[in-house]
Amino acid sequence: MQIHNPRAIGITRQESISLIPISIEIVEGNPNLASLLGWHLQQIGYSVFQAVSGQQAKLVFQKQQPSLVILSTDLPDGDGIELCRWLHKQRSSLIFVISSRTSESDIVEGLKAGADDYLTKPFGMQEFLARVEALTRRLRTSAPPACLDYGVLKIDLVQRQVRLKGSAIDLTPQEFSLLYVLAQSEGLALSRAELLQRAWPDEINNPRTVDTHVLSLRKKLEVDPQQPNLIQTVRNIGYRFNPEALSRPSLRQNPQNTNNTNSDRPPQFTAPPSRSFAKY
């Protein structure tokens, strides 16, 4: 399975696994290192949340329920190993400890506390990313669903077909991939860069192209594309899929005959950092 390069244009049953978004919480007291790690993870399609202390980490964890926690043992308000034990008791996430404690006894203590992997600082970015991939591979081994069923809206992942209130909706391959990624985000807002990376990583280089496909999807799925409810714009972030709109009786069966465009001001795209380092 290749998570660095998910080809969404031709989704098959196995390839669709790579598009299932995996959320990662980074708990690191050094904000510069946390930002750098987070940026690299986002570039390969992960959804990333950050915390700089143990207390903040618990709040973020309880709210976001990440699939993987990358945990530093050096935190400003306590011992990361104790936080590791707390996370392990939650039994809902994998734990990847990164630490400046390099002795064998420290590593053993971290693994016994519940860590699924342990990496000592300083480390190379390629090794770090490879270990993250190895961990998240465990989360992607289950068979993907054959269909996403939202009641009146059904997204068939095998046949690559969409039906709204029983009627087939004619989508291009790019539109289908975008809709799939938005629906899998479970209501979370995704930036243009995230949508671009997950939907068409090798096909399209301009994040602004996302706007064109969003407008097209709105014309085909929304009652009023000028006031979208299903695919919403989140100011300064990007777009989100709102499944609650599907429970509204006013949702039309085939709302794709309007030529109106959406006037929402698009969020800004932030350029990646210009510096990189060999060790972290």
Side-chain angles (χ1 to χ4, degrees):
M1 178 190 58
Q2 176 66 269
I3 67 172
H4 289 279
N5 188 26
R7 299 176 181 273
I9 294 302
I11 298 174
T12 65
R13 177 179 290 270
Q14 290 302 318
E15 286 173 330
S16 64
I17 298 176
S18 66
L19 288 177
I20 300 173
I22 288 182
S23 59
I24 297 178
E25 178 182 0
I26 299 176
V27 185
E28 170 59 61
N30 182 337
N32 293 327
L33 176 56
S35 295
L36 190 59
L37 296 179
W39 182 81
H40 279 280
L41 291 171
Q42 287 176 329
Q43 297 312 295
I44 55 176
Y46 295 107
S47 177
V48 177
F49 307 97
Q50 295 186 9
V52 297
S53 67
Q55 182 177 7
Q56 185 183 23
K58 290 182 179 180
L59 294 175
V60 172
F61 179 87
Q62 291 170 336
K63 180 179 180 180
Q64 304 296 343
Q65 292 295 305
S67 304
L68 171 66
V69 178
I70 297 173
L71 173 62
S72 173
T73 57
D74 306 309
L75 300 176
D77 62 345
D79 185 2
I81 296 300
E82 288 301 318
L83 179 57
C84 182
R85 293 190 179 96
W86 181 87
L87 290 167
H88 182 61
K89 290 180 181 179
Q90 310 309 306
R91 298 183 181 276
S92 59
S93 300
L94 296 175
I95 306 169
F96 180 16
V97 169
I98 55 176
S99 176
S100 57
R101 305 174 190 177
T102 60
S103 71
E104 181 180 8
S105 60
D106 289 325
I107 296 173
V108 169
E109 181 184 15
L111 294 173
K112 286 185 175 181
D116 296 280
D117 197 0
Y118 191 109
L119 180 63
T120 60
K121 301 177 182 178
F123 51 80
M125 183 57 69
Q126 292 305 310
E127 179 183 3
F128 169 79
L129 295 176
R131 287 174 180 260
V132 170
E133 180 176 351
L135 287 169
T136 57
R137 190 180 297 123
R138 303 182 192 178
L139 304 172
R140 301 176 186 270
T141 54
S142 59
C147 179
L148 300 181
D149 191 340
Y150 295 95
V152 297
L153 178 68
K154 301 184 189 306
I155 305 174
D156 188 327
L157 306 181
V158 177
Q159 301 297 323
R160 293 180 57 79
Q161 295 177 349
V162 174
R163 302 187 73 86
L164 181 60
K165 287 191 174 180
S167 296
I169 304 298
D170 185 20
L171 300 183
T172 67
Q174 291 83 3
E175 291 167 356
F176 182 90
S177 297
L178 178 61
L179 178 62
Y180 174 78
V181 171
L182 283 166
Q184 282 283 3
S185 68
E186 300 181 345
L188 293 177
L190 299 177
S191 69
R192 280 189 184 78
E194 290 174 310
L195 290 169
L196 185 68
Q197 173 67 26
R198 297 182 188 184
W200 326 293
D202 296 325
E203 305 294 330
I204 302 174
N205 294 322
N206 184 2
R208 297 292 177 178
T209 306
V210 173
D211 295 340
T212 301
H213 291 290
V214 166
L215 291 176
S216 181
L217 279 176
R218 284 171 170 171
K219 290 178 182 179
K220 296 179 179 181
L221 299 175
E222 300 276 4
V223 175
D224 183 357
Q226 289 187 306
Q227 297 181 351
N229 291 312
L230 182 62
I231 302 176
Q232 299 176 327
T233 297
V234 180
R235 187 179 298 277
N236 297 325
I237 299 179
Y239 299 103
R240 70 180 290 268
F241 181 79
N242 176 32
E244 295 179 0
L246 297 169
S247 62
R248 299 174 185 174
S250 60
L251 187 68
R252 293 195 302 192
Q253 184 166 314
N254 191 10
Q256 51 184 3
N257 57 1
T258 177
N259 294 320
N260 293 326
T261 58
N262 190 278
S263 60
D264 290 332
R265 183 178 180 180
Q268 291 184 337
F269 174 70
T270 303
S274 59
R275 295 185 300 171
S276 62
F277 303 92
K279 295 291 183 179
Y280 305 88

